[in-house]
Amino acid sequence: MGKGGKSHEETKSGEDENMAAWLVGLNTLKIQPFKLPPLGPHDARVRMKAVGICGSDVHYLKTMRCADFVVKEPMVIGHECAGIIEEVGSEVKNLVPGDRVALEPGISCWRCDLCKDGRYNLCPEMKFFATPPVHGSLAHQVVHPADLCFKLPDNVSLEEGAMCEPLSVGVHACRRANIGPETNVLVMGAGPIGLVTMMAARAFGAPRIVIVDVDDNRLSVAKNLGADGIVKVSTNMQDVAEEVERICKAMGGGVDVSFDCAGFNKTMSTALSATCAGGRVCLVGMGHHEMTVPLTPAAARYLF
């Protein structure tokens, strides 16, 4: 498997055991040994202090797959992480033991055209924590390229450091959608990714943000975090038209950009219907593997 360590079956008896959370079957996690690879000259050994549980981890736990990635053998989960440097390789100059760091979970090739173009997240050779067949970081320690370990300021906790990865999803979505002071934003889904996308949109200058969900508790959290409007919706596709009216009323104007942070037929259909002509719709969540949505009416209104 991947950079972070080796299969527990390769651990020799008598060695200090590095333990990790292994997904060994459907709805089955076990704490088992996780052997670290040798420390390379450009690597760092990091003691994990905070690891978030992502929706992808839950997908793997419940179905043994996420999108086209299928778990075929035991795998360590977790990729939203921060920790403390324990040891660095001989060529590492920017880190020392004791440094608090957030880890970029994706190791790209650094050589292909996409990497050279700055879009390393699309690298065809990407090795990403807890994405089969690569092990994750929900372990006592991992070994990782040092240049993918980023020092945390003193005013950022390790737990907040672990949230840098999901926050980056919201930041990237706002960059792709060109959010600014002139864009009213609709967010479909008030889960963790919906919330960080909402907060990123606010930081990018969005003047008004409405967030939608089926759950009152999530909407309450969104309101406390700064949503200008909240709209509770159903899971019934027949309610889309009526819910779009309530969304537009809550917005108090046109929806310039919609983020679908759930990724279901109904959420994408609602986003496409609620967004004003010439607006933008950005798919962020990955709920359904395939979706049936009203693309022709959206194209007629010049959505992109």
Side-chain angles (χ1 to χ4, degrees):
M1 282 218 180
K3 180 74 178 178
K6 300 179 181 179
S7 168
H8 64 285
E9 295 176 355
E10 301 177 56
T11 304
K12 297 179 181 178
S13 60
E15 294 184 356
D16 290 337
E17 290 185 331
N18 178 52
M19 308 302 287
W22 291 77
L23 176 61
V24 298
L26 202 63
N27 292 316
T28 305
L29 289 173
K30 290 185 178 181
I31 305 301
Q32 298 182 151
F34 180 41
K35 182 176 173 62
L36 294 176
L39 187 74
H42 299 282
D43 292 335
R45 180 164 56 86
V46 186
R47 182 172 296 278
M48 292 291 96
K49 290 296 184 180
V51 182
I53 300 300
C54 179
S56 64
D57 295 313
V58 178
H59 276 295
Y60 289 129
L61 177 67
K62 290 185 175 181
T63 67
M64 299 295 283
R65 71 177 297 155
C66 183
D68 292 329
F69 298 100
V70 181
V71 179
K72 298 180 180 179
E73 58 184 80
M75 179 184 78
V76 177
I77 64 168
H79 64 264
E80 304 170 354
C81 54
I84 298 175
I85 298 293
E86 291 276 310
E87 184 182 7
V88 297
S90 59
E91 298 300 316
V92 176
K93 309 301 182 185
N94 63 319
L95 296 171
V96 297
D99 282 343
R100 301 159 61 254
V101 295
L103 278 64
E104 157 63 73
I107 306 173
S108 59
C109 74
W110 299 302
R111 297 182 301 274
C112 70
D113 289 342
L114 288 166
C115 284
K116 292 177 181 178
D117 194 38
R119 297 187 292 170
Y120 68 93
N121 56 303
L122 301 177
C123 175
E125 296 182 31
M126 174 65 73
K127 296 177 176 62
F128 197 94
F129 276 154
T131 303
V134 181
H135 285 309
S137 59
L138 190 48
H140 286 165
Q141 299 185 56
V142 299
V143 170
H144 204 56
D147 62 353
L148 298 180
C149 299
F150 297 88
K151 288 184 186 180
L152 293 173
D154 291 339
N155 63 335
V156 175
S157 70
L158 287 161
E159 289 78 10
E160 289 168 334
M163 293 298 98
C164 287
E165 194 276 341
L167 176 61
S168 73
V169 175
V171 172
H172 183 58
C174 289
R175 285 176 174 171
R176 292 192 68 193
N178 197 27
I179 299 300
E182 74 291 348
T183 47
N184 289 330
V185 171
L186 169 66
V187 179
M188 303 298 302
I193 294 300
L195 294 176
V196 295
T197 301
M198 179 194 75
M199 290 188 288
R202 180 68 79 208
F204 273 67
R208 189 160 180 83
I209 304 172
V210 171
I211 192 163
V212 172
D213 204 278
V214 298
D215 185 87
D216 284 321
N217 289 329
R218 288 186 171 191
L219 289 172
S220 176
V221 172
K223 187 66 174 177
N224 289 336
L225 288 174
D228 297 297
I230 55 175
V231 177
K232 186 177 181 181
V233 295
S234 74
T235 58
N236 190 342
M237 187 70 77
Q238 304 305 315
D239 295 334
V240 168
E242 183 269 334
E243 290 168 356
V244 166
E245 289 185 10
R246 289 196 283 123
I247 289 169
C248 292
K249 183 178 180 180
M251 184 66 74
V255 175
D256 301 302
V257 175
S258 291
F259 294 107
D260 181 359
C261 296
F264 296 112
N265 288 334
K266 183 169 184 283
T267 53
M268 178 52 74
S269 296
T270 303
L272 290 170
S273 299
T275 306
C276 66
R280 298 181 290 278
V281 178
C282 182
L283 176 61
V284 182
M286 296 191 300
H288 282 159
H289 185 61
E290 295 181 354
M291 288 192 287
T292 301
V293 296
L295 281 182
T296 300
R301 290 168 38 244
Y302 203 56
L303 299 185
F304 62 99

